[in-house]
Amino acid sequence: MLYLLHEPVEKETVEEKILPLLKNIKHELVSYPLDKEFDIDKDSALMLYLPDAVLREIIPMAAKNSWSVSILPHPNNKFTSKGLGISEDIEEVITQYAECEDPYDIDLLFCNEVPVFSSVNIGDIFILSERNGKKNFFQEVINIIHNIRRVSSLSHHSYQISTDGEKIIHTSALGIIVVEHASSSLISKRLLEESSINDGSFQAFVLAPQNLLVLLWFFVRSLVPNTKTLNRLPSFIGKIKTSNLQVSDDAPMDYTIDGEKKQSKALNFEVHKQAVLLKQKSIYSENTEKENGRKSIKFEGLPKGETRKELIKRSLPILPRASTEQFQDLFKVLRTNSKISTAFMVMMILSTLIATFGLFANSSPVIIGAMILAPVIAPIVSFSMGMVRYDVPMLKESFITITAGTLVSLAFAAGVSIIIPLKVLTPEIEARLSPTLLDMGIAISSGIAAAYAHSNEGIAKSLAGVAIAVALVPPLAVAGIGIGWWDWEVFSGAILLYATNLAGIILFGGLTFLLLGFAPFKRAKMGLVYTFIIVILVAVPLSLSFDRIMQEANITRALEGTTIENVVLRDVRIRFGSTNVVSLRLVGSENIEPQRIQSIKKEIEKRIDQPVKLEVVSAMEF
């Protein structure tokens, strides 16, 4: 016998849409709620045309009495059919019932003795939960836009999580999502491989992002239409696989079971094995993953200790914010690095000497060796932190150390240039006499690399040291050579390059610390303004120099390889002055007379639209 359960108000709908499909099946209509005496024998079954709220009552009752059930799709059945993986077509469900000889045993997850068909959402996880069970990409986008006004007020809540009665972690998180299988929520679809509803366990995901940026990035990745799961669990998500779980807090927790809002100080999750006898097909009935009894717990990235307490106090920041432990560890290192020491001075002298000899020898490998030895990165990064934290003692100590290192480097480079009886502008020296905005770009990249490497323990500090040394030690040595030669052009060009890189590194190193959350913007504002002004002042001569390089490139491009009066122009070089000097080689098939060179000069001036002095080397082609 088949008993078709329905609510009294829907009797007409049942008679019109369902009864004609049951004409070959012995059945009886039963109105819900049931009479106290209602009972069925083991050969009978229930067919349920009921909404989610009623199914949450009748299915545990059926499980307790070992009644077989078939669930028909209903306008207000948004979670049960999807959660159990059954068809949402009435005719197909009835056909499956008729063809099903032995009911399928299905596990069922309970939260505080209430059955869970889809998911339990604890706390503020609306951004990663599906709305009314919908799966459409654009509907999910609309969902987040609808709730975007709540993003600024998101904050962590405290949670004590236990399993088998033993506490495993006291953490904070935006919320927790509990699901029995992969299809239950937006987040589980991207983090779980296809899972079974009959493995005797469920999954709990603890969402604990420490800033909105990482949360929104994960949300965007989750919405992208893709059937593949993410290869790696994001660091801000903890994952627990178990057969029972307890979540508690001192204050009442807001949570939803399949969209129904509830509140409690303690939640108890437990899987009832083979609780439901399902007399119809489920997409999970063929997934026969066996229960292995193993728990899986991954929560390395969840906040604990002081970090947990700080996150509970405030709303979730947009950008990363360093924890107290992170700040204390980094600050100790930078405080030490800001102080002048014998080791710093010795290494500064040695790196300068090596760089100076390498510049005279025109040896790139020797200069690179000096870059590796240079210790000047340490006080510069400390100065950047002192600037954004407006820490006056650190600023003073860093400034003294940087100044002392600069003066010592200039003095020793000047001394070497006086001792060595050579006054030749080698290509390595000449390369550091005309800084441009391109060098500012190098300084910016170096400053970001230095600050990031110091804030991240997983990156070797030496990598940042090499990056900064590239920009600082050689120009300092060249400036010292300019002092030794008493040559203003050599000194001014190199010291401008040094100042450029120093200012760029300090400013963007500080900005990096600011973005990584090591200082509040209000405190960093004044230091950043002063440094930015210095960068702007330095950028003025750099832009002029960059403009000069552009002019040189345009002139070279206009003349190199061209033919004037059957003479080919080769090896074009430009020297700027009150009147620019064009140096080149004229290649022809015969000797070139002075009158002809004058004619070529006029044609060159016409092509580049400016007067020039011409220096030529004549060559004959045979």
Side-chain angles (χ1 to χ4, degrees), residues 343-356 375 405 408-409 412:
F344 173 83
M345 298 304 292
V346 169
M347 294 304 294
M348 197 69 196
I349 292 169
L350 292 175
S351 62
T352 301
L353 291 174
I354 294 172
T356 306
V408 166
S409 182
F412 275 81

Side-chain angles (χ1 to χ4, degrees), residues 78 170 178 225 279 295 306 325 339 356 364 370 444 530:
K78 301 181 184 298
H170 186 191
V178 180
K279 199 170 174 57
K295 287 186 293 188
E306 291 298 322
E325 291 91 338
K339 298 176 180 178
T356 306
S364 296
I444 290 171
Y530 292 143

